[in-house]
Amino acid sequence: MRTGKDYLSSLDDGRTVYLDGERIDDVTVHPAFAPVAGVVAELYDMAADPANGMQYTAPETGETANLVFSTPRDAEGLAARRAAIQRWAGHTHGWVGRSPDHVGTFLAGFASRPELFDTEHHSLGANVTAYYQRLLREDLFVSYAIIPPQVSRATTASGWGEDFLQAGVAEETAEGIVLRGAQMLATGAAVADEVLITCIKPLGPDDQDFAFSAVLPVNAEGLKLYCRRPFAPAATSAFDYPLTSRYDEPDALVVLDDVFVPWERVFASRDIAVVRDQFFGTCAHALGNWQAQIRFAAKLRFIAGIARKVTQVNGTDKIPAVADKLGELASIVGSVQASVDAAEFTATLDGNGVMVPGREPLYSAMGLQSETYPRVIGIVRDLVGGGVLQLPASVRDLTSEHTAADVAHYIQSPGVASEERIKLFKLAWDVIGSEFAGRHQQYEMFYAGAPFVVRGVYAFRNFGYQDAVEDVDAFLAGYTTAS
Ligand SMILES: Cc1cc2nc3c(=O)[nH]c(=O)nc-3n(C[C@H](O)[C@H](O)[C@H](O)COP(=O)(O)OP(=O)(O)OC[C@H]3O[C@@H](n4cnc5c(N)ncnc54)[C@H](O)[C@@H]3O)c2cc1C
């Protein structure tokens, strides 16, 4: 199995990553990328250690593979997959949204129905199968960019008046396709092995050129990543920014400058139906988002722990009104966990023999996420008060001969040493107030699509409305003006 060292050494491959107008030489040593790459390396080391129970023999290859990439065929397989994902999520406390298990799960979903990718124009199902086998063998870290860039949401790309702002197929040849344009927003791509580029937003009949699905090595010639402002380099220390300094994942706009992609890496080309159905005609979307909810539940529990600890340190936890707030937090965390559990409990075998988590509880939790996360952050903000600002500027104030004595004396709590209190409140600030915290709020609200899509499409369509309406109809039919 791949180790963290194997993973890190593969990243220095000439990839084109831009930051502040400069090209990054080696992401494994740059302060914007090295910390999170180090965390991903830790995840690989965990999976590589048989003691962690994250390995299985993949029937698709007959070889040992990482359980987070498995295709669950029964309840036990689904439970084993969940346990492996939980183990990784526990290690990052849920703060790494796009760990390799996220997109890897979507690819397992695609490969569960390879025939979907065989059409009258192209026969690409074998590519999907072969790629999934490679993913299993090589323990690949794949990121994805599956949303058109925010140019205008008033029309789809064909209405934008300029060719290939959104990534599309500029040319098809006997050897492969040539991709041109951009796609948002590949989290983790700068430290991933490969990137899946496709489109999950609905495309119109004139958007044929933008309907493709392909997976490219991050160092593909002509592929450029434009990273947002990173937060990790600005983190003065792990003590001051315990989350930013470890878990800041780069998000990047992917620009494709006539990138040639050989057919073996293409899953769809100029095929609107395949591009849509790869997500929704397979288990990919449900299985992939269940992974995301498992991770989300781990993060919420960690945040709840911080909230409770803050109230213990401040001596407010026995006040009934504070218990009420902690109780609301507990209810939210418990509900998300219950949805994850319920999805596993209500899982069913789909037509391709995959055990798919129940969509109703899964999408119910997702539908509320754009309210859930801000509410959780709101409760923590409320409970910490000004304590997160009554903090010394940096760890140096705790050690400097000029400041150490006053800091130790005035920033403390009964039975809680100054350093312990400051550490806790700095952690709380990294959850609610730092740039990292702000990015995480945006992430939890948008990573699976804008809230109007998650609720108005996914949650709406996957709720059992038909049964509910039939029940109401039957009830209404049970009485008349005469009864
Ligand atoms: C931090 C972060 C990381 C991400 N990582 C990834 C990643 O790794 N890979 C990836 O592919 N994607 C990723 N995403 C998700 C993706 O890039 C988009 O943010 C997401 O799909 C929503 O699209 P949008 O941001 O363009 O929002 P828009 O679609 O522009 O929507 C923004 C808002 O406009 C309004 N709106 C727009 N259109 C309508 C409409 N038709 N009806 C009603 N209201 C409307 C709504 O208020 C909506 O909330 C990430 C997002 C964030 C924030």
Side-chain angles (χ1 to χ4, degrees), residues 195-365:
V195 55
L196 168 70
I197 319 255
T198 184
C199 185
I200 196 171
K201 283 211 171 192
L203 294 166
D206 294 334
D207 293 317
Q208 200 76 5
D209 284 348
F210 308 104
F212 71 92
S213 178
V215 61
L216 286 65
V218 176
N219 71 349
E221 203 180 328
L223 188 158
K224 300 182 283 191
L225 298 179
Y226 285 91
C227 296
R228 63 146 168 91
R229 185 181 137 77
F231 312 132
T236 43
S237 70
F239 185 88
D240 294 317
Y241 293 96
L243 302 176
T244 308
S245 59
R246 283 180 177 80
Y247 302 129
D248 184 27
E249 290 166 278
D251 305 298
L253 179 77
V254 182
V255 172
L256 304 167
D257 239 353
D258 283 0
V259 178
F260 171 73
V261 189
W263 280 115
E264 68 197 43
R265 287 178 161 276
V266 180
F267 303 158
S269 178
R270 293 182 173 144
D271 198 326
I272 291 172
V274 173
V275 164
R276 181 193 57 231
D277 291 346
Q278 64 185 341
F279 291 110
F280 304 108
T282 72
C283 61
H285 199 259
L287 206 58
N289 280 295
W290 192 53
Q291 178 278 339
Q293 288 298 309
I294 295 168
R295 189 255 338 141
F296 186 49
K299 179 178 183 178
L300 293 184
R301 196 169 287 274
F302 181 70
I303 296 175
I306 294 169
R308 180 75 202 269
K309 210 164 156 56
V310 162
T311 63
Q312 287 169 336
V313 166
N314 273 353
T316 54
D317 62 330
K318 303 286 184 308
I319 301 168
V322 171
D324 175 44
K325 288 168 190 169
L326 288 170
E328 185 183 343
L329 195 51
S331 306
I332 294 172
V333 181
S335 302
V336 173
Q337 185 63 58
S339 299
V340 169
D341 297 345
E344 186 170 329
F345 184 72
T346 58
T348 49
L349 274 182
D350 72 2
N352 308 304
V354 182
M355 189 56 95
V356 187
R359 288 181 167 86
E360 187 176 302
L362 167 66
Y363 289 108
S364 306

Side-chain angles (χ1 to χ4, degrees), residues 454-470:
V454 178
R455 275 196 301 268
V457 182
Y458 307 149
F460 172 65
R461 288 189 188 158
N462 288 290
F463 183 74
Y465 265 121
Q466 195 177 335
D467 287 351
V469 170
E470 278 171 16

Side-chain angles (χ1 to χ4, degrees), residues 18 107 133 148 247 259 419 435 471:
Y18 287 116
L107 290 162
Q133 288 172 356
Y247 302 129
V259 178
E419 182 176 327
E435 271 194 288
D471 188 28

Side-chain angles (χ1 to χ4, degrees), residues 98 144-148 150 153 184-187 201 251 439 442-443 446-452:
R98 296 295 197 234
Y144 65 13
I146 58 174
I147 301 292
Q150 257 193 7
R153 295 293 185 230
M184 72 187 274
L185 179 71
T187 299
K201 283 211 171 192
D251 305 298
R439 184 260 178 204
Q442 210 66 7
Y443 180 80
F446 280 93
Y447 76 81
F452 78 92

Side-chain angles (χ1 to χ4, degrees), residues 103-190:
V103 180
T105 300
F106 278 79
L107 290 162
F110 290 4
S112 72
R113 196 181 159 198
E115 62 277 14
L116 185 148
F117 300 84
D118 292 332
T119 67
E120 57 176 303
H121 303 297
H122 299 294
S123 195
L124 302 173
N127 295 351
V128 179
T129 305
Y131 190 82
Y132 178 54
Q133 288 172 356
R134 221 192 109 211
L135 176 92
L136 289 168
R137 284 204 175 94
E138 298 179 26
D139 224 353
L140 290 176
F141 180 2
V142 185
S143 56
Y144 65 13
I146 58 174
I147 301 292
Q150 257 193 7
V151 175
S152 160
R153 295 293 185 230
T155 62
T156 53
S158 54
W160 289 352
E162 199 171 327
D163 278 349
F164 298 115
L165 285 174
Q166 174 171 343
V169 180
E171 200 187 337
E172 268 188 19
T173 71
E175 286 75 37
I177 60 175
V178 176
L179 296 177
R180 187 179 301 161
Q183 209 73 330
M184 72 187 274
L185 179 71
T187 299

